[in-house]
Amino acid sequence: MRQMQIETLELPLARPFAISRGTRTAVTVVRVTLEERGFIGRGECTPTAHYQETAQSVAAQLESVRHAVENGMTLDELQRLLPPGSARNALDCALWRLNAALSKQTLWQYLAITPPQSIITAETLSLDSVEKMTHAAKDAVSRGALLLKIKLNGEQILEKVAAIRQAAPNVTLIVDANEAWGGQDLEPLLRQLAAYRIAMVEQPLPAGQDAALADFTHAIPVCADESCHHCGDIAALRDRYEMINIKLDKCGGLTEARAMVALAREQGMRIMVGCMLGSSLAMEAALPVALSAEHVDLDGPIWLAADSSPYLTYNLGRIWL
């Protein structure tokens, strides 16, 4: 018989992480461990208050399906029993890993995917003053960063981007507004950002208030993050965004993420794979999806004071496998 263990942990950050909605010094994660016939599968999720999630609500969702899980619930059954979100993500990833272990395969082998030697990942520049963000960019470049993700709010947008571009002349830059540009005139702003070779802008307007993105031609690609959680969101976004950001915690795990990749391609939309703050256990589960992405942002573990197994290697702007 299968057994399920649920645990909640607070992971301190090595340094504060700031976005337009606030600053964090620690992240709370929920982990699921499944054991069957001596084989183990584990998954991790990060409950997000912005999506009305807490560690307690996620644990309660998981407890609500304990009987089904321990009596052999399948991945397909899980999709019907839990909605998209963090709880389903942790359990979905644990089931994928358990199924692979029962087959005496790695997750890559079970998915019939040959892993690459490495994957380029963004390194996030936390929201701060122009001077501190420029210093962080210089530090990242000195360590070999290839892709920087600039967290911005509605203040000093061009000043920060200009300073960071000067500090990182040869690095790919993407920008994440986290819904904070509701008061901006976006059409000229995107043209101005294009002059700094910004490769993409993520979620400039609040989710549900982004219809204006369909009213003009974008000078650079715009990516839906908070506006796009699961497959059911994609079709309505085609005239507003060029790209979607797939996060396992939003969509509910690897199963839905793989379906989102297929549907986005059908709709002619490009793909980014992102993450919430979390450990290597959470990031590793997203790597098979990252192979389909134009931009990958799986730098969660480098913000932690201490990582957790399987301890992915981050070096020279890449995750090394």
Side-chain angles (χ1 to χ4, degrees), residues 2 5 41 53 62 71 83 93 111 119 145 154 196 205 258 297 304 313:
R2 186 186 294 162
Q5 178 185 346
E53 294 179 334
L62 293 168
N71 281 276
C93 293
L111 292 167
I119 295 175
Y196 296 103
L205 298 177
R258 284 159 56 87
D297 175 25
L304 300 181
T313 299

Side-chain angles (χ1 to χ4, degrees), residues 55-201:
Q56 293 77 17
S57 71
V58 166
Q61 282 185 290
L62 293 168
E63 287 292 352
S64 74
V65 295
R66 177 181 290 277
H67 179 77
V69 171
E70 295 189 339
N71 281 276
M73 182 181 69
T74 67
L75 283 163
D76 287 341
E77 291 167 344
L78 171 60
Q79 313 312 305
R80 296 191 292 271
L81 288 173
L82 287 181
S86 294
R88 195 172 83 185
N89 173 36
L91 189 47
D92 185 88
C93 293
L95 273 173
W96 274 102
R97 286 177 168 129
L98 177 63
N99 290 343
L102 288 166
S103 300
K104 299 183 180 178
Q105 295 177 302
T106 66
L107 182 59
W108 292 100
Q109 291 168 335
Y110 190 69
L111 292 167
I113 300 173
T114 300
Q117 184 180 27
S118 65
I119 295 175
I120 294 173
T121 183
E123 181 167 337
T124 300
L125 301 180
S126 176
L127 179 65
D128 212 320
S129 67
V130 174
E131 294 73 21
K132 289 183 178 179
M133 293 183 76
T134 303
H135 177 77
K138 290 178 179 178
D139 176 63
V141 169
S142 73
R143 291 181 283 100
L146 302 171
L147 172 62
L148 293 178
K149 179 174 178 175
I150 307 170
K151 289 286 189 180
L152 294 174
N153 55 16
E155 301 174 0
Q156 295 185 291
I157 295 170
L158 295 175
E159 293 89 338
K160 290 176 179 179
V161 168
I164 291 166
R165 172 50 79 198
Q166 185 173 8
N170 301 314
V171 171
T172 300
L173 298 181
I174 58 179
V175 165
D176 187 3
N178 285 114
E179 306 179 277
W181 289 359
Q184 304 292 329
D185 191 348
L186 288 181
E187 185 172 7
L189 178 56
L190 292 182
R191 287 199 302 268
Q192 290 170 308
L193 289 171
Y196 296 103
R197 293 179 286 122
I198 300 302
M200 177 270 286
V201 170

